[in-house]
Amino acid sequence: MTEDGYVGEERDRRLAKLDALRAAGTDPYPVRFDRTHTAAEIQEHWEHVEAGGETDDVVRVAGRLLLIRRQGKLTFATLRDGTASVQLFVSDAVVGAEVHQAFDELDLGDWVGVEGAVMRTKRGELSVKLRAFELLAKALRPLPSKWQGLTDVDTRFRMRYVDLIANDDARRVFAIRFSVIATIRRFLAERRYVEVETPVLHAQAGGGAARPFETYHHALEMPLSLRIALELHLKRLLVGGFERVFEIGRVFRNEGLSTRHNPEFTMLECYEAFADYTDMARLVEELVAECARAATGSTTVAAGDRELSLAPPWPRRPMLDLIQEHAGVAVHPSQPVGDLEAICDRLGVARQAGWGPGKLVLELYEKTVEPNLFGPVFVIDYPREVSPLARIHRADPALVERFEPVVLGRELGNAFSELNDPVDQRQRFEAQARLAAAGDEEAHGVDEDYLRALEYGLPPCGGLGIGVDRLVMLLAGVTTIREVLLFPHLRPEAGETGDEGGTG
RNA sequence: GCGCCCCUAGCUCAACUGGCUAGAGCAAGUGACUCUUAAUCACUAGGUUCGGGGUUCGAGUCCCCGGGGGCGUACCA
């Protein structure tokens, strides 16, 4: 292949400039720059300056050069930092032809630091009237088209740094992401939740239904799995006496990729002693509304051509009622398997041999109800069989106290009144182990240490998991998870691990 | 995994039914220009059409193999 990312003569030209700068005694990569203001601060503090107005207020600002408009003995340039943009006004009359010439040697994409007085041009653009400048870092590669930006999806994700330079929308989406995560931390801290970090490497993956990534510890000579959930360690901490804990952490699931699935993704899980799933539902609706307000300024988000209000309270709807409503059938996980199988077949819901009644009911819900739920809505009370970590429902032993918040036909998370009976938990684990032995790669075995912890006493508690990436997608109005991940998983580029640079 | 679609200059896109030297805008180079805003104007340069093979007088275009990506589907958060 050609040299990776070869960009033609332009790069050679800029490399030659580096040599020329060094020969002239200029370091193209100096060590630091003292700035007095960000671009946003300049825009804000000098907003009052009128068109054509000059000030004696000298500022030092640094950023990347995005546009240059040369106009004879004047040059206008657009400088952008992490906050905003500001125009640079360079005039022979101020700095002399020599400095102006040196400024014009800069290329689009270069990082520069400048010093000058704040002014506003006759045409009304707030500007820094350049007095001196310093190249802070030379860019060797040209920026994408200033007008069309970078649209090739593969390139945008592979070279996210360029995407962030070129596309306002990429920066908007990640600003929402950072705001959501900061809001979660603040929201939970205000409610006396403690943030903890638990292991990523597990001897036994558990806490969810998913196939894990397997790895190997050489010194210990043992296989390890990457975690698929945070749950079991966080509940151990409640045994230890923490009353409210949460973790925002990366979990890993060895499954297919799609617009909604990345092999690693960010999960929030939190657990609260003495609470149940009704408390967690209130927590979720308030948390999501607060994230929406903080990230977008509103609890209303656009959903295609409709508007979706996330303002609490959200309706609570039993799963079995919803199936009755949407599919027109009354089902219950205590019904004989054969009856439920017949219902699935009649409704065209695909099933596999060996599924129990709970799994069949869940499947009916997922196929006939969930895609049609605009939301937000809490779907409550799940079959016991498909919820091995949830407490049996106080009013119906075939169900558990569990809910999923559903928005736009997709679940945002999962929560229960946690199962804290160690004897019941052992039976549930053993049922899972039988599924695993029968070939279910998403079922897991008996976690003896977790059971031992439960035997020391887990207080009654509510637990919650939220897919943070999905929440960000919702608030940012994007439809693929890759848009909300800074570096989504991609196959390696051709030649990336091979004999790259064969011609270079 | 499976199905359908896409890959042309640094970026964004053209190129009829297989037909002349693969074009354009931006970016780049040279020149002009003291209030521009995607500055403008003139000129110049820039291509392994994703890679490999094949069919054909002739392939960006058709066929086969491979690579990467997108969408849908399955599983899930």
Side-chain angles (χ1 to χ4, degrees):
Chain A
M1 65 176 288
T2 54
E3 181 188 346
D4 168 54
Y6 179 68
V7 290
E9 295 171 357
E10 176 64 6
R11 183 163 171 272
D12 296 336
R13 221 194 93 248
R14 295 195 186 195
L15 278 169
K17 278 191 181 177
L18 283 187
D19 292 339
L21 284 165
R22 289 192 168 111
T26 300
D27 180 1
Y29 299 101
V31 80
R32 72 187 300 278
F33 182 80
D34 284 307
R35 67 175 170 184
T36 60
H37 295 78
T38 65
E41 287 166 348
I42 292 170
Q43 297 289 357
E44 188 185 339
H45 293 172
W46 284 275
E47 192 192 357
H48 62 276
V49 178
E50 290 169 7
E54 305 261 347
T55 77
D56 296 322
D57 307 329
V58 173
V59 297
R60 289 168 62 83
V61 59
R64 187 189 293 276
L65 214 46
L66 290 183
L67 295 169
I68 298 176
R69 297 176 287 278
R70 296 194 170 100
Q71 170 110 18
K73 297 188 173 64
L74 280 185
T75 294
F76 301 90
T78 302
L79 184 77
R80 188 175 72 204
D81 66 15
T83 64
S85 300
V86 66
Q87 177 168 273
L88 306 181
F89 178 94
V90 188
S91 162
D92 267 20
V94 177
V95 295
E98 201 169 309
V99 170
H100 192 176
Q101 168 67 27
F103 185 88
D104 281 348
E105 285 294 313
L106 294 170
D107 289 299
L108 296 185
D110 287 353
W111 288 94
V112 295
V114 309
E115 179 180 297
V118 178
M119 60 169 281
R120 195 179 290 279
T121 61
K122 292 173 191 166
R123 295 292 180 89
E125 186 74 30
L126 194 69
S127 307
V128 174
K129 185 194 255 180
L130 188 126
R131 173 190 286 180
F133 79 95
E134 185 179 350
L135 174 62
L136 298 181
K138 186 77 190 161
L140 298 181
R141 294 175 185 250
L143 295 176
S145 161
K146 63 188 176 188
W147 187 236
Q148 284 94 356
L150 181 69
T151 61
D152 182 81
V153 176
D154 183 31
T155 309
R156 284 186 48 232
F157 295 157
R158 234 175 250 294
M159 300 198 286
R160 182 66 92 181
Y161 36 89
V162 181
D163 186 35
L164 289 166
I165 295 168
N167 294 321
D168 292 342
D169 199 59
R171 292 192 299 277
R172 177 190 72 85
V173 167
F174 288 108
I176 288 173
R177 181 178 186 111
F178 308 146
S179 172
V180 163
I181 289 176
T183 302
I184 291 171
R185 289 206 157 95
R186 180 169 45 75
F187 180 93
L188 291 174
E190 282 167 359
R191 285 158 181 77
R192 305 196 316 280
Y193 275 83
V194 174
E195 181 169 10
V196 298
E197 291 162 282
T198 64
V200 170
L201 293 172
H202 288 187
Q204 182 172 20
R211 187 175 170 185
F213 283 92
E214 306 291 349
T215 185
Y216 187 80
H217 193 294
H218 295 292
L220 295 177
E221 296 184 339
M222 65 177 294
L224 290 171
S225 301
L226 300 187
R227 65 184 176 188
I228 58 170
L230 315 175
E231 174 153 1
L232 299 183
H233 282 95
L234 294 179
K235 285 195 282 194
R236 283 177 173 95
L237 293 176
L238 264 64
V239 171
F242 286 80
E243 293 188 355
R244 297 181 180 194
V245 294
F246 77 100
E247 178 168 6
I248 296 172
R250 201 72 57 83
V251 299
F252 306 83
R253 297 191 175 180
N254 205 342
E255 295 164 349
L257 282 69
S258 82
T259 50
R260 271 162 244 109
H261 299 84
N262 197 65
E264 50 183 303
F265 62 97
T266 300
M267 183 106 98
L268 161 69
E269 289 197 25
C270 59
Y271 294 85
E272 178 172 334
F274 318 125
D276 68 7
Y277 76 145
T278 66
D279 298 299
M280 302 321 279
R282 277 194 296 279
L283 190 75
V284 171
E285 60 194 0
E286 286 169 20
L287 173 62
V288 170
E290 182 60 26
C291 285
R293 274 190 293 269
T296 70
S298 163
T299 54
T300 302
V301 297
D305 51 1
R306 293 177 69 180
E307 291 219 320
L308 174 69
S309 170
L310 298 168
W314 303 352
R316 277 77 166 153
R317 301 298 313 280
M319 176 186 285
L320 300 182
D321 291 1
L322 288 167
I323 294 173
Q324 168 90 59
E325 227 168 78
H326 287 257
V329 292
V331 295
H332 195 276
S334 61
Q335 277 174 279
V337 174
D339 293 1
L340 290 167
E341 287 176 341
I343 290 170
C344 284
D345 293 346
R346 182 155 55 80
L347 295 174
V349 173
R351 60 180 175 82
Q352 290 174 21
W355 281 2
K359 175 68 177 169
L360 292 167
V361 167
L362 179 67
E363 200 66 17
L364 279 168
Y365 159 74
E366 286 182 351
K367 290 296 181 295
T368 67
V369 180
E370 191 178 64
N372 303 314
L373 294 177
F374 186 67
V377 57
F378 290 113
V379 178
I380 66 171
D381 301 342
Y382 279 57
R384 169 179 171 179
E385 169 194 332
V386 296
S387 314
L389 297 164
R391 168 189 290 265
I392 289 173
H393 198 283
R394 62 195 82 177
D396 185 340
L399 301 178
V400 292
E401 297 195 352
R402 170 181 175 187
F403 71 80
E404 291 189 350
V406 176
V407 179
L408 303 182
R410 294 197 289 269
E411 63 270 26
L412 265 187
N414 190 12
F416 347 116
S417 299
E418 300 293 337
L419 174 56
N420 64 346
D421 175 342
V423 176
D424 188 359
Q425 183 68 75
R426 178 175 292 280
Q427 289 166 358
R428 308 273 198 106
F429 274 158
E430 285 170 351
Q432 289 291 303
R434 283 192 294 276
L435 290 176
D440 185 341
E441 283 169 328
E442 296 185 349
H444 303 287
V446 179
D447 187 331
E448 288 292 349
D449 178 73
Y450 179 69
L451 288 173
R452 180 170 57 191
L454 289 194
E455 291 181 8
Y456 279 92
L458 174 67
C461 56
L464 165 70
I466 286 188
V468 172
D469 313 284
R470 295 268 178 93
L471 176 58
V472 175
M473 286 167 67
L474 172 69
L475 298 182
V478 302
T479 55
T480 83
I481 194 169
R482 291 180 161 193
E483 295 288 352
V484 303
L485 299 170
L486 283 169
F487 298 101
H489 186 80
L490 298 170
R491 286 187 166 86
E493 281 180 86
E496 197 168 72
T497 56
D499 54 349
E500 109 181 59
T503 64

